[in-house]
Amino acid sequence: MAHHLGVLTEAGMVRPAHSRQVRGGTERYHERTFRRLVGTDTDAGATAALLGAYAEELAGDPDPLVHLRHLRLTPAQAQHLRSTLDELVGEAEEAPPGQARYGVLVSLYRHPPAVR
């Protein structure tokens, strides 16, 4: 774990937040360095890892909102939807510390053509 945190720190994705002394050593905490993560990589392994993490977070919520819908859109409609979703998520205001945390995963992708 320490190796992976070092890699993430070196990449600028996390930074040390604080530490505390506990019996047997020191616990070191890290925090993200970004407000949101926007992915452009279409690597199947990276996508599987992201969705696996998402599934683990969903398991802890008794009433999650999850939609998967396939739409027929023109390129202009798809771009408008993309911009609207990006703006909506990007402009969401965070509550002060101490409030419940929520995760938001938004994706718009071109569905592959059906294989016949």
Side-chain angles (χ1 to χ4, degrees), residues 31-74:
E31 63 187 7
R32 66 182 183 200
T33 58
F34 51 87
R35 182 168 175 216
R36 64 187 188 150
L37 179 63
V38 178
T40 58
D41 191 355
T42 56
D43 176 80
T47 301
L50 173 66
L51 292 177
Y54 169 68
E56 287 179 18
E57 289 191 14
L58 273 182
D61 188 341
D63 189 28
L65 171 66
V66 179
H67 286 278
L68 174 61
R69 183 175 174 195
H70 296 151
L71 301 169
R72 295 185 191 281
L73 301 173
T74 66

Side-chain angles (χ1 to χ4, degrees), residues 75-89:
Q77 288 173 311
Q79 182 56 47
H80 177 71
L81 180 57
R82 177 188 178 105
S83 298
T84 301
L85 292 170
D86 191 43
E87 183 178 332
L88 182 64
V89 173

